């Protein structure tokens, strides 16, 4: 059994090294991929340095807090002012409600907290639990305006209207010091397991890897793998285009032209009123889905949502704002990768994730609207060149 496990482990390592070599030393795009990997490592190093500094300060502050609590005379019976209660409640609800800025908090001298303002229905229970957990709160007066959908409530714009979307798992995040401790412990456990060619060692390595993944992603493992909870990746993009909003908006309405500017979009065709069928090149073959325009405000906003059962779930909006002689374009989008955060990370490494593609595609759109020259590396142009070569 031990020899079999050793052979399986060696085969996995060899396969992984072979795939890595093929990816990095591809004769056509290997140089660009190696440069991209170097950039990613540099970015990761900077983020890790910043995170270590944040974790250190968090650990120090928590140590001071624990010491203060253990000091005589600082027990739970110490009086708390209404202002302190208000500030504590505001800090706490910011972790569990995405649009916490829309809520108004007022604390009375007797410890009663008055909550008012618009909130989504699926956030009410988390909100109430968070407020009750604040020391000094003796009661809650509910004056909230509960909405099932964001609708036309400006304060709720950008909030996703149902469970399982971004923001639902905010209360499950770990503080920086705990993440650092869990990451170090998980890494040590994984390395110890990999050094043992036994089934117990493999289990140990898996547990360590899971702990490291949980610490890095700061989300539940089910959410990271896309098996449960909020699976969405949120993207915000803003760009200035030297063209009037009317022209930019008109271009965005004609989605059948998108393959000329979007490198991996093979086809977009209308299937009904405000309904479109998309066909996009994927790492393992084309992926197709249907989407519907859900909001259309002439020269100001377009919003969409994929239909139920689509293999790629997404929703978002594009805002067109006049800016001098041009247009300030704002894209806000949420999409669910097939394998959760892990699938998004893998796609990002291959530069096939939605954020990278949107960045590149928007630059092509900007160039076309400003110069009138279509992109040369878009899907439609590439397909036409392939067809010419075949003939």
């Amino acid at each position: 059994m031990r020899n079999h496990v050793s052979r399986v482990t060696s085969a996995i390592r060899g396969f992984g090294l072979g795939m890595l070599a093929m990816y990095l030393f591809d004769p056509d795009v290997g140089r660009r991929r190696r440069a991209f990997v170097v950039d990613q490592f540099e970015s990761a190093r900077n983020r890790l340095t910043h995170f270590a500094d944040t974790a250190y300060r968090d650990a120090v502050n928590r140590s001071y807090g624990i010491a203060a609590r253990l000091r005589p005379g600082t027990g739970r019976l110490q009086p708390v002012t209404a202002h302190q209660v208000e500030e504590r409640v505001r800090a706490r609800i910011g972790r569990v409600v995405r649009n916490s800025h829309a809520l108004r908090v007022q604390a009375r001298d007797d410890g009663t907290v008055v909550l008012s303002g618009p909130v989504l229905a699926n956030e009410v229970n988390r909100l109430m639990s968070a407020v009750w957990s604040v020391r000094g709160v003796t009661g809650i007066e509910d004056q909230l305006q509960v909405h099932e959908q964001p609708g036309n409530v400006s304060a709720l714009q950008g909030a996703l209207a149902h469970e399982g979307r971004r923001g639902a798992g905010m209360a499950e995040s770990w503080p920086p010091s705990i993440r650092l401790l869990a990451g170090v412990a998980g890494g040590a456990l994984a390395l110890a397991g990999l050094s043992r060619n036994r089934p117990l060692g493999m289990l140990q390595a898996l547990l360590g890897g899971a702990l490291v993944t949980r610490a890095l992603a700061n989300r539940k493992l089910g959410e990271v793998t896309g098996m449960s909870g909020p699976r969405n990746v949120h993207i915000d993009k803003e760009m200035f285009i030297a063209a009037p909003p009317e022209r930019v908006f008109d271009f965005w309405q004609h989605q059948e032209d998108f393959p000329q500017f979007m490198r991996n979009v093979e086809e977009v065709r209308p299937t009904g009123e405000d309904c479109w069928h998309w066909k996009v090149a994927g790492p393992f073959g084309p992926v197709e889905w249907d989407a519907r325009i859900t909001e259309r405000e002439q020269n100001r906003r377009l919003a969409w949502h994929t239909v139920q059962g689509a293999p790629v779930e997404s929703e978002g909006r594009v805002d067109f704002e006049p800016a001098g002689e041009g247009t300030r374009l704002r894209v806000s989008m949420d999409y669910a990768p097939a394998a959760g955060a892990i699938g998004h990370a893998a796609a990002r490494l291959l530069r096939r994730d939605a954020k990278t593609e949107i960045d590149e595609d928007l630059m092509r759109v900007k160039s076309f609207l400003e110069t009138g020259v279509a992109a040369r590396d878009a899907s439609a142009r590439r397909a036409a060149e392939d067809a010419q070569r075949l003939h």
Side-chain angles (χ1 to χ4, degrees):
M1 179 66 180
R2 185 181 305 173
N3 292 335
H4 177 70
V5 171
S6 178
R7 288 195 296 269
V8 171
T9 304
S10 299
I12 293 175
R13 290 174 181 171
F15 178 78
L17 289 174
M19 292 293 293
L20 180 62
M22 291 175 60
Y23 176 78
L24 294 177
F25 297 100
D26 183 280
D28 296 325
V29 293
R31 183 176 181 181
R32 185 180 66 180
R33 288 175 176 174
R34 290 193 296 272
F36 174 73
V37 171
V38 171
D39 290 341
Q40 291 298 307
F41 272 114
E42 182 66 19
S43 175
R45 185 183 68 83
N46 294 335
R47 290 197 303 268
L48 182 61
T49 301
H50 176 73
F51 172 73
D53 179 65
T54 303
Y56 170 76
R57 288 187 281 107
D58 179 69
V60 170
N61 292 335
R62 288 179 181 277
S63 299
Y64 286 150
I66 293 174
R69 286 178 178 273
L70 296 177
R71 191 177 302 131
T74 59
R76 281 186 169 272
L77 297 179
Q78 184 178 10
V80 181
T81 66
H83 176 71
Q84 289 175 322
V85 172
E86 280 188 16
E87 294 303 315
R88 291 175 180 178
V89 170
R90 289 194 180 98
R92 186 64 59 87
I93 66 177
R95 299 181 179 182
V96 298
V97 178
R98 181 170 179 178
N99 291 63
S100 58
H101 62 276
L103 297 176
R104 294 181 290 277
V105 179
Q106 180 182 3
R108 297 171 180 163
D109 292 336
D110 61 355
T112 301
V113 174
V114 181
L115 297 177
S116 59
V119 65
L120 291 176
N122 62 1
E123 295 180 330
V124 172
N125 290 337
R126 291 198 305 274
L127 172 63
M128 293 300 180
S129 298
V131 175
W132 273 116
S133 67
V134 174
R135 185 167 69 92
V137 174
T138 60
I140 299 177
E141 184 175 321
D142 186 355
Q143 298 181 7
L144 296 170
Q145 305 165 17
V146 181
H147 300 266
E148 292 293 335
Q149 303 286 341
N152 295 323
V153 182
S154 60
L156 296 180
Q157 296 307 309
L160 296 171
H162 51 279
E163 200 69 40
R165 296 291 188 179
R166 183 179 184 266
M170 294 171 66
E172 304 298 334
S173 61
W174 287 354
S177 56
I178 302 299
R179 291 176 62 192
L180 180 61
L181 181 62
V184 171
L189 187 65
L191 290 175
L194 290 174
S195 64
R196 303 171 59 183
N197 291 324
R198 296 181 180 180
L200 183 60
M202 294 185 64
L203 178 60
Q204 187 177 347
L206 288 174
L207 290 176
L211 190 58
V212 171
T213 302
R214 176 62 174 85
L216 290 175
N218 203 20
R219 297 165 63 183
K220 291 182 178 180
L221 290 177
E223 300 172 6
V224 173
T225 58
M227 298 176 62
S228 65
R231 304 180 299 143
N232 279 48
V233 175
H234 183 76
I235 298 172
D236 282 313
K237 181 69 176 178
E238 183 173 321
M239 172 180 289
F240 175 80
I241 299 178
E246 295 79 10
R247 185 183 175 197
V248 180
F249 183 86
D250 182 68
F251 166 84
W252 219 266
Q253 288 192 109
H254 294 83
Q255 299 184 21
E256 66 274 11
D257 296 332
F258 282 5
Q260 300 179 33
F261 308 93
M262 298 184 174
R263 186 163 58 92
N264 292 310
V265 176
E266 298 182 358
E267 180 187 16
V268 182
R269 54 181 172 82
T271 57
E273 184 177 359
D274 286 336
C275 293
W276 304 82
H277 180 81
W278 287 67
K279 181 179 180 182
V280 177
F284 304 106
V287 182
E288 302 183 39
W289 68 83
D290 291 312
R292 179 186 299 276
I293 299 296
T294 58
E295 182 180 355
R296 185 194 305 273
E297 187 176 349
Q298 190 68 24
N299 300 330
R300 295 194 62 86
R301 172 177 291 184
L302 279 175
W304 78 91
H305 196 300
T306 53
V307 301
Q308 187 175 7
V312 176
E313 297 180 10
S314 72
E315 63 177 329
R317 68 176 186 269
V318 183
D319 292 306
F320 310 84
E321 179 183 327
E325 297 182 357
T327 304
R328 181 71 60 184
L329 187 73
R330 292 187 176 92
V331 180
S332 180
M333 171 182 171
D334 289 86
Y335 84 104
I342 291 180
H344 174 69
R348 185 177 181 183
L349 180 63
L350 298 172
R351 298 187 66 83
R352 300 297 293 271
D353 62 297
K355 184 179 185 306
T356 300
E357 293 181 355
I358 286 177
D359 288 343
E360 296 176 352
D361 293 339
L362 286 180
M363 289 304 298
R364 296 187 188 93
V365 171
K366 172 181 171 69
S367 176
F368 170 73
L369 290 175
E370 292 181 347
T371 67
V373 179
R376 296 184 177 182
D377 58 346
S379 176
R381 178 66 61 87
R382 197 171 59 248
E385 291 175 350
D386 291 341
Q388 289 179 0
R389 282 197 296 269
L390 290 176
H391 292 297

